[in-house]
Amino acid sequence: MNAGIMTEAKWEKNVRKVTPYVAGEQPKTEGVIKLNTNECPYPPAPGVSAVMKELDCEKLRLYPDMNAEKLVSALAQYYGVKPEQIFVGVGSDDVLAMSFMTFFNGDKPILFPDITYSFYDVWAEVFRIPWKVCPLDEEFRIKKEDYLKPNGGIIIPNPNAPTGVPENTEVLEEIVAANPDSVVIIDEAYVDFGCKSMLPLISKYDNLMVVQTFSKSRAMAGIRIGYAIANEKLIGYLKDVKFSFNSYTMNMPSIEAGTAAVRDDAYFKEIVGKIIKTREWTKQQLASLGFRFTDSKSNFLFVTHESVPAAEIFKALKEHNIYVRYWNKPRISNHLRITIGTDEQMSRLVKFLTNYLKERDND
Ligand SMILES: *Cc1c(COP(=O)(O)O)cnc(C)c1O
């Protein structure tokens, strides 16, 4: 990437050259309303801050538990599965990257939607996995037939990102059932915000894996915890690859903090409920301002305006210290992805947009 065209050194021909994933901006300035990376606007569960305060630094001398048993058993208990059915990693990005390496090891292309999490093609490229995108329909829904063709694996987020569109679990089940020769990964990063999980089906299909994260609904993007749930055999293969790569991915404070978060279900349900309520309120407000959007079941909205280009709104918002996400990419270059913040943050967003659109009309 940063190699000058004129000065390619001889060793550079042996370099694995990739175009990295571009994450949303993390502004250093104060006073920004940050609605650009789908973080939770509320703090983690109170038990998490207690754990962090009481952290015994003397213990950092030792390597952490490489099986993260405490966290794994808390998750196993929560989801009603065996600990052997759970794999934890450093954010679901780590879990997904390991999964690509483990399960997508064939010659046929892996399949995923054309509009989706923009890390999938990056992992496919870095691991040299052939891949093919399947175009979503006009309503940003997947077309089932696309996934009934020969493939080396399938990954579909539900709800999808950045569209927020939930997929019918019966349709997803048909895809899993029709592909016994492939591992099908359902990326459920946003499933807690009102979408149906595929978890109940993991005992029925040995090729199905569900991946979730603490980054969005558990308000812990900074701690980096993600996990996969599937049958023991599939999880076993994933562990073999992980232990061939880096045994100690989960650090001790993360294991402790993650466990505390899982144990406080009441708090989890409370913040998720608040975000859903704010999301529905924001939908009403934006509709009255001439925005159209998918019926998002995530912690963000994917919006387009009836007359004002998304790029212009994005710029105006940013100048006003309100950060949202915009991609100048085919099919979505007139859309914005807006993370659901607190009621107050969303009111300020709506207020700004109301004035902005009014003034624009007067010009
Ligand atoms: C945020 C996100 C992830 C990864 O999040 P982590 O912070 O690495 O757990 C994975 N998939 C999708 C679709 C996401 O939006």
Side-chain angles (χ1 to χ4, degrees), residues 80-94:
V81 297
K82 286 188 264 177
E84 295 77 24
Q85 292 180 271
I86 298 188
F87 175 88
V88 290
V90 185
S92 53
D93 285 342
D94 178 44

PDB file of all heavy atoms in Angstrom, residues 80-94:
ATOM      1  N   GLY A  80     -27.599 -22.178  27.070  1.00  0.00           N
ATOM      2  CA  GLY A  80     -28.073 -23.551  27.197  1.00  0.00           C
ATOM      3  C   GLY A  80     -27.371 -24.523  26.262  1.00  0.00           C
ATOM      4  O   GLY A  80     -28.005 -25.395  25.663  1.00  0.00           O
ATOM      5  N   VAL A  81     -26.059 -24.352  26.110  1.00  0.00           N
ATOM      6  CA  VAL A  81     -25.272 -25.291  25.290  1.00  0.00           C
ATOM      7  C   VAL A  81     -24.099 -25.802  26.121  1.00  0.00           C
ATOM      8  O   VAL A  81     -23.857 -25.323  27.231  1.00  0.00           O
ATOM      9  CB  VAL A  81     -24.746 -24.621  23.990  1.00  0.00           C
ATOM     10  CG1 VAL A  81     -25.899 -24.177  23.100  1.00  0.00           C
ATOM     11  CG2 VAL A  81     -23.820 -23.445  24.304  1.00  0.00           C
ATOM     12  N   LYS A  82     -23.366 -26.769  25.579  1.00  0.00           N
ATOM     13  CA  LYS A  82     -22.196 -27.284  26.293  1.00  0.00           C
ATOM     14  C   LYS A  82     -20.999 -26.338  26.078  1.00  0.00           C
ATOM     15  O   LYS A  82     -20.874 -25.746  25.006  1.00  0.00           O
ATOM     16  CB  LYS A  82     -21.826 -28.677  25.764  1.00  0.00           C
ATOM     17  CG  LYS A  82     -22.780 -29.764  26.229  1.00  0.00           C
ATOM     18  CD  LYS A  82     -22.262 -31.129  25.838  1.00  0.00           C
ATOM     19  CE  LYS A  82     -22.893 -31.583  24.543  1.00  0.00           C
ATOM     20  NZ  LYS A  82     -22.441 -32.834  24.020  1.00  0.00           N
ATOM     21  N   PRO A  83     -20.095 -26.231  27.057  1.00  0.00           N
ATOM     22  CA  PRO A  83     -18.911 -25.382  26.871  1.00  0.00           C
ATOM     23  C   PRO A  83     -18.130 -25.757  25.608  1.00  0.00           C
ATOM     24  O   PRO A  83     -17.535 -24.889  24.967  1.00  0.00           O
ATOM     25  CB  PRO A  83     -18.075 -25.646  28.127  1.00  0.00           C
ATOM     26  CG  PRO A  83     -19.041 -26.124  29.154  1.00  0.00           C
ATOM     27  CD  PRO A  83     -20.126 -26.853  28.412  1.00  0.00           C
ATOM     28  N   GLU A  84     -18.159 -27.035  25.246  1.00  0.00           N
ATOM     29  CA  GLU A  84     -17.422 -27.508  24.050  1.00  0.00           C
ATOM     30  C   GLU A  84     -18.026 -26.965  22.755  1.00  0.00           C
ATOM     31  O   GLU A  84     -17.475 -27.163  21.680  1.00  0.00           O
ATOM     32  CB  GLU A  84     -17.417 -29.040  23.988  1.00  0.00           C
ATOM     33  CG  GLU A  84     -16.665 -29.728  25.103  1.00  0.00           C
ATOM     34  CD  GLU A  84     -17.431 -29.753  26.429  1.00  0.00           C
ATOM     35  OE1 GLU A  84     -18.678 -29.658  26.413  1.00  0.00           O
ATOM     36  OE2 GLU A  84     -16.773 -29.831  27.485  1.00  0.00           O
ATOM     37  N   GLN A  85     -19.184 -26.331  22.873  1.00  0.00           N
ATOM     38  CA  GLN A  85     -19.834 -25.786  21.675  1.00  0.00           C
ATOM     39  C   GLN A  85     -19.551 -24.304  21.482  1.00  0.00           C
ATOM     40  O   GLN A  85     -20.131 -23.668  20.610  1.00  0.00           O
ATOM     41  CB  GLN A  85     -21.355 -25.998  21.778  1.00  0.00           C
ATOM     42  CG  GLN A  85     -21.761 -27.453  21.696  1.00  0.00           C
ATOM     43  CD  GLN A  85     -23.262 -27.588  21.803  1.00  0.00           C
ATOM     44  OE1 GLN A  85     -23.826 -27.703  22.884  1.00  0.00           O
ATOM     45  NE2 GLN A  85     -23.926 -27.538  20.664  1.00  0.00           N
ATOM     46  N   ILE A  86     -18.662 -23.772  22.315  1.00  0.00           N
ATOM     47  CA  ILE A  86     -18.386 -22.327  22.270  1.00  0.00           C
ATOM     48  C   ILE A  86     -16.920 -22.040  22.007  1.00  0.00           C
ATOM     49  O   ILE A  86     -16.031 -22.657  22.589  1.00  0.00           O
ATOM     50  CB  ILE A  86     -18.829 -21.645  23.578  1.00  0.00           C
ATOM     51  CG1 ILE A  86     -20.354 -21.819  23.731  1.00  0.00           C
ATOM     52  CG2 ILE A  86     -18.438 -20.172  23.582  1.00  0.00           C
ATOM     53  CD1 ILE A  86     -20.955 -21.044  24.856  1.00  0.00           C
ATOM     54  N   PHE A  87     -16.689 -21.088  21.127  1.00  0.00           N
ATOM     55  CA  PHE A  87     -15.340 -20.612  20.838  1.00  0.00           C
ATOM     56  C   PHE A  87     -15.337 -19.108  21.091  1.00  0.00           C
ATOM     57  O   PHE A  87     -16.194 -18.396  20.572  1.00  0.00           O
ATOM     58  CB  PHE A  87     -15.006 -20.897  19.366  1.00  0.00           C
ATOM     59  CG  PHE A  87     -13.678 -20.350  18.916  1.00  0.00           C
ATOM     60  CD1 PHE A  87     -12.517 -21.097  19.063  1.00  0.00           C
ATOM     61  CD2 PHE A  87     -13.600 -19.086  18.332  1.00  0.00           C
ATOM     62  CE1 PHE A  87     -11.290 -20.591  18.645  1.00  0.00           C
ATOM     63  CE2 PHE A  87     -12.375 -18.572  17.914  1.00  0.00           C
ATOM     64  CZ  PHE A  87     -11.223 -19.330  18.066  1.00  0.00           C
ATOM     65  N   VAL A  88     -14.377 -18.623  21.906  1.00  0.00           N
ATOM     66  CA  VAL A  88     -14.318 -17.175  22.132  1.00  0.00           C
ATOM     67  C   VAL A  88     -13.073 -16.582  21.476  1.00  0.00           C
ATOM     68  O   VAL A  88     -12.046 -17.258  21.331  1.00  0.00           O
ATOM     69  CB  VAL A  88     -14.342 -16.808  23.635  1.00  0.00           C
ATOM     70  CG1 VAL A  88     -15.700 -17.089  24.252  1.00  0.00           C
ATOM     71  CG2 VAL A  88     -13.242 -17.518  24.406  1.00  0.00           C
ATOM     72  N   GLY A  89     -13.181 -15.335  21.079  1.00  0.00           N
ATOM     73  CA  GLY A  89     -12.058 -14.669  20.433  1.00  0.00           C
ATOM     74  C   GLY A  89     -12.051 -13.177  20.708  1.00  0.00           C
ATOM     75  O   GLY A  89     -12.929 -12.645  21.398  1.00  0.00           O
ATOM     76  N   VAL A  90     -11.037 -12.523  20.173  1.00  0.00           N
ATOM     77  CA  VAL A  90     -10.815 -11.097  20.397  1.00  0.00           C
ATOM     78  C   VAL A  90     -11.728 -10.269  19.484  1.00  0.00           C
ATOM     79  O   VAL A  90     -11.327  -9.807  18.428  1.00  0.00           O
ATOM     80  CB  VAL A  90      -9.330 -10.755  20.170  1.00  0.00           C
ATOM     81  CG1 VAL A  90      -9.048  -9.300  20.529  1.00  0.00           C
ATOM     82  CG2 VAL A  90      -8.453 -11.662  21.015  1.00  0.00           C
ATOM     83  N   GLY A  91     -12.979 -10.159  19.897  1.00  0.00           N
ATOM     84  CA  GLY A  91     -13.999  -9.546  19.049  1.00  0.00           C
ATOM     85  C   GLY A  91     -14.474 -10.584  18.046  1.00  0.00           C
ATOM     86  O   GLY A  91     -13.784 -11.580  17.791  1.00  0.00           O
ATOM     87  N   SER A  92     -15.652 -10.370  17.473  1.00  0.00           N
ATOM     88  CA  SER A  92     -16.087 -11.367  16.493  1.00  0.00           C
ATOM     89  C   SER A  92     -15.257 -11.261  15.215  1.00  0.00           C
ATOM     90  O   SER A  92     -15.201 -12.211  14.439  1.00  0.00           O
ATOM     91  CB  SER A  92     -17.590 -11.300  16.223  1.00  0.00           C
ATOM     92  OG  SER A  92     -17.997 -10.033  15.871  1.00  0.00           O
ATOM     93  N   ASP A  93     -14.572 -10.136  15.026  1.00  0.00           N
ATOM     94  CA  ASP A  93     -13.663 -10.051  13.874  1.00  0.00           C
ATOM     95  C   ASP A  93     -12.604 -11.154  13.933  1.00  0.00           C
ATOM     96  O   ASP A  93     -12.288 -11.791  12.930  1.00  0.00           O
ATOM     97  CB  ASP A  93     -12.967  -8.681  13.830  1.00  0.00           C
ATOM     98  CG  ASP A  93     -13.902  -7.579  13.340  1.00  0.00           C
ATOM     99  OD1 ASP A  93     -14.941  -7.903  12.736  1.00  0.00           O
ATOM    100  OD2 ASP A  93     -13.588  -6.401  13.569  1.00  0.00           O
ATOM    101  N   ASP A  94     -12.077 -11.391  15.125  1.00  0.00           N
ATOM    102  CA  ASP A  94     -11.083 -12.452  15.325  1.00  0.00           C
ATOM    103  C   ASP A  94     -11.727 -13.824  15.089  1.00  0.00           C
ATOM    104  O   ASP A  94     -11.163 -14.681  14.394  1.00  0.00           O
ATOM    105  CB  ASP A  94     -10.539 -12.334  16.758  1.00  0.00           C
ATOM    106  CG  ASP A  94      -9.536 -13.413  17.122  1.00  0.00           C
ATOM    107  OD1 ASP A  94      -8.663 -13.703  16.285  1.00  0.00           O
ATOM    108  OD2 ASP A  94      -9.627 -13.953  18.236  1.00  0.00           O
TER     109      ASP A  94
END
